[in-house]
Amino acid sequence: MTVLAMSHEELSRFDTLMRVERGELRVDDAAAVLGLRRRQVFRLLDRLRSDGAAGLVSRKRGRPSNRRYSDAMREQIIAILREHYADFGPTLAREYLIERHGITVACETLRQIMIAAGLWKDRDARRPRPYQPRYRRDCRGELIQIDGSKHWWFEDRGPQCTLLVYIDDATSELMHLKMVESENAFAYMDATREYIERHGKPVAFYSDKHSVFRNNRASANGDGMTHFGRAMEALNIEIICANSPQAKGRVERANLTLQDRLVKAMRLAGIATIAEANAFLPGYMERHNHRFAKPAFDPRDLHRPLAAHEDLRTELVWREWRTVSKALALHYNKALFLLEPNAISEELVGKRVEVCEYPDGSFEIRHGDHTLPYRMHDKIRQVNQAAIVENKHLDAALLMARLMQEQLTPRKRNNNEPCRRSQPTHLFPAPIGPDGTPIKRPRGRPPLRRIKPADSAHRLETC
């Protein structure tokens, strides 16, 4: 059985001609209905009798137009576009084809050529993905959306900093705000401790895929959890990472509102430092929640108090493990820690101990419930200028050593060390560069290389 594809006009023509065949309609009347002459009606009737309904299908269907550009012309246009205008739109590319190459082509024709060659996408392909809203959670404390918003919060009165925002999904209530220098693990640990002390433990935090919440390079070595995630697991708080900013739109929209209203409120209050902002934020949150918060569907509050065995200070910590050597020493972040010999530390040879860094900058080496005393020897050292001056016999040698050290690249700490901008004091100062300023380790992945049109055209040719 053959399947035919016929247009509405062809179906109407077939019905009219069949009525002529059955004697229900005269040829003159059929010609008037179809808008044809008598000769054309007789030709169609002959084709219907010989080929059936397939004889009425237009024979131009599926064949290229007589006005179509030749294949050689189309290939020439595509070659020019890939070489010079790989990232141009159809309208702009057409202008340059006419101006520089003397090739006149209609804009719509060029657009179809570029789409077929993979150099352009139509409107439907470029249309953004729709994100439909979801219902709020039922209870307060069931889901808390968290995010960091980097902005010029003090305008030109202070430095650029980050606002950590905790907002309840059920009520749109600002649960906690904290101004910090940057979005890092210690800042979130300190802010989360303040949140739990004020409200209790929520059921879950809803965040983006920041490295504080999710190890994007997790491997088989270790459990793949971040230090903040390990602390939340110990406190029985779930962390859920959104796959897109639109998924946690409640906190994203709150950031936009705060970047407008909070900035102006702090301008009127004359606030220019992080400390002043953190003292101002609780009062602002009350006014904001009175204006924008909504009642929850369920009046229950699902925040939970801390259990008897849970200690926020010992859980919200950057914790790593090291093995104690026979000399009662361990290495951490380009530094050597010597444990004080005592009855506890002497039993730890060959065993693993916890190295704990707290958000306030304090540092501890722990084993179980015991805090071990230690002495620190930093392996990143500089030549002592006073010793060069005072020692008469080693002046020349030490001067040469100092000049050689200045030419070398300063040693840096471990790449996986935490960001310490939120710690007021700590044991690991950044190395000093030749100009006397601390060398800061670049955070995040390196920026993507800008692709030139020639590289883009070469990639398209090799695909």
Side-chain angles (χ1 to χ4, degrees):
M1 182 178 63
T2 303
V3 178
L4 296 178
M6 302 179 70
S7 65
H8 180 73
E9 181 181 359
E10 291 166 348
L11 288 173
S12 177
R13 182 174 295 179
F14 174 74
D15 179 65
T16 303
L17 294 175
M18 289 300 296
R19 292 176 62 189
V20 174
E21 280 290 293
R22 293 192 299 265
E24 300 175 1
L25 195 66
R26 294 186 308 169
V27 174
D28 293 339
D29 295 335
V33 171
L34 297 176
L36 302 174
R37 292 184 179 273
R38 284 173 53 87
R39 284 193 308 173
Q40 185 64 18
V41 173
F42 283 116
R43 288 175 183 173
L44 292 176
L45 286 171
D46 292 340
R47 193 180 297 175
L48 177 64
R49 292 163 186 158
S50 60
D51 300 334
L56 300 180
V57 176
S58 175
R59 297 186 179 183
K60 296 187 297 181
R61 186 171 302 162
R63 297 173 56 186
S65 172
N66 295 331
R67 295 183 293 175
R68 181 179 182 270
Y69 289 101
S70 64
D71 293 338
M73 181 68 173
R74 297 169 70 91
E75 292 176 1
Q76 179 187 0
I77 293 175
I78 292 174
I80 295 174
L81 292 174
R82 285 180 172 169
E83 183 179 359
H84 302 287
Y85 316 116
D87 57 344
F88 283 39
T91 303
L92 184 60
R94 176 179 177 270
E95 296 175 5
Y96 280 96
L97 284 175
I98 297 174
E99 177 183 346
R100 302 180 60 180
H101 304 278
I103 299 176
T104 302
V105 60
C107 185
E108 179 62 23
T109 303
L110 182 61
R111 189 178 75 91
Q112 295 297 335
I113 293 175
M114 295 179 67
I115 291 175
L119 299 175
W120 186 251
K121 293 182 179 180
D122 58 6
R123 188 182 301 274
D124 291 338
R126 289 183 283 115
R127 183 172 298 155
R129 172 189 169 188
Y131 292 91
Q132 295 184 340
R134 61 171 176 83
Y135 288 109
R136 300 172 179 268
R137 306 310 301 176
D138 293 336
C139 301
R140 183 175 183 266
E142 185 177 357
L143 184 67
I144 304 299
Q145 297 190 18
I146 56 177
D147 191 27
S149 177
K150 186 177 181 180
H151 188 63
W152 290 97
W153 295 101
F154 307 127
E155 298 174 308
D156 56 350
R157 305 184 306 278
Q160 188 179 25
C161 53
T162 301
L163 178 66
L164 303 184
V165 181
Y166 293 65
I167 185 170
D168 186 74
D169 187 82
T171 63
S172 293
E173 177 184 358
L174 290 179
M175 307 298 292
H176 188 62
L177 296 178
K178 186 174 180 64
M179 197 74 71
V180 295
E181 292 188 12
S182 66
E183 190 177 8
N184 55 70
F186 286 133
Y188 272 109
M189 287 179 183
D190 198 21
T192 304
R193 175 189 56 80
E194 296 175 358
Y195 176 94
I196 296 176
E197 289 176 348
R198 179 179 179 182
H199 300 287
K201 299 187 302 180
V203 176
F205 283 129
Y206 196 39
S207 68
D208 54 15
K209 291 186 284 189
H210 194 280
S211 58
V212 173
F213 311 105
R214 184 177 186 271
N215 187 356
N216 297 315
R217 299 182 181 180
S219 62
N221 300 325
D223 54 9
M225 297 182 63
T226 64
H227 294 271
F228 184 82
R230 189 175 296 111
M232 293 299 100
E233 183 186 35
L235 295 173
N236 194 19
I237 300 175
E238 187 74 19
I239 293 182
I240 305 173
C241 294
N243 194 41
S244 65
Q246 290 83 355
K248 55 184 185 66
R250 209 170 309 284
V251 68
E252 296 289 351
R253 290 190 295 271
N255 289 339
L256 295 178
T257 303
L258 292 171
Q259 289 175 8
D260 178 35
R261 289 173 169 258
L262 179 58
V263 168
K264 296 172 182 176
M266 290 193 296
R267 180 201 305 163
L268 296 176
I271 294 174
T273 63
I274 292 179
E276 294 175 352
N278 287 327
F280 173 79
L281 288 175
Y284 175 82
M285 278 196 303
E286 293 182 6
R287 300 198 306 269
H288 182 97
N289 292 335
H290 180 73
R291 173 67 176 80
F292 295 104
K294 300 181 180 299
F297 294 127
D298 192 327
R300 292 178 300 169
D301 191 342
L302 297 187
H303 285 99
R304 300 158 294 165
L306 287 171
H309 64 280
E310 293 175 339
D311 185 4
L312 292 178
R313 185 179 185 277
T314 58
E315 297 297 346
L316 294 169
V317 61
W318 186 283
R319 180 182 289 108
E320 295 189 14
W321 285 263
R322 293 294 185 271
T323 301
V324 180
S325 67
K326 294 181 180 179
L328 299 183
L330 57 95
H331 296 268
Y332 177 76
N333 201 23
K334 297 292 191 334
L336 178 66
F337 293 87
L338 303 175
L339 300 181
E340 296 291 343
N342 53 41
I344 299 176
S345 60
E346 291 175 357
E347 298 291 334
L348 299 178
V349 175
K351 298 181 180 179
R352 295 175 68 81
V353 295
E354 297 178 0
V355 179
C356 301
E357 287 193 69
Y358 295 93
D360 59 0
S362 57
F363 184 91
E364 289 182 354
I365 300 177
R366 301 182 59 86
H367 179 71
D369 297 333
H370 302 283
T371 301
L372 307 176
Y374 63 87
R375 289 180 291 112
M376 176 183 172
H377 173 69
D378 196 348
K379 293 188 288 185
I380 299 181
R381 291 294 187 182
Q382 302 290 338
V383 174
N384 191 345
Q385 183 68 23
I388 297 176
V389 175
E390 294 176 358
N391 196 319
K392 299 180 180 179
H393 302 287
L394 298 179
D395 281 350
L398 291 179
L399 177 61
M400 180 62 67
R402 181 168 61 85
L403 293 176
M404 293 176 62
Q405 288 183 358
E406 290 177 354
Q407 295 177 0
L408 295 176
T409 303
R411 297 180 62 189
K412 60 180 182 179
R413 301 287 180 182
N414 294 340
N415 288 333
N416 60 348
E417 70 167 342
C419 178
R420 307 182 188 280
R421 295 183 63 182
S422 297
Q423 288 183 312
T425 58
H426 53 81
L427 299 178
F428 306 99
I432 305 299
D435 55 352
T437 59
I439 299 177
K440 296 183 179 180
R441 179 170 64 88
R443 298 284 172 178
R445 298 182 180 180
L448 296 177
R449 183 175 66 88
R450 185 179 296 276
I451 299 178
K452 298 180 180 179
D455 299 338
S456 177
H458 178 69
R459 291 186 179 182
L460 291 173
E461 291 176 357
T462 56
C463 291

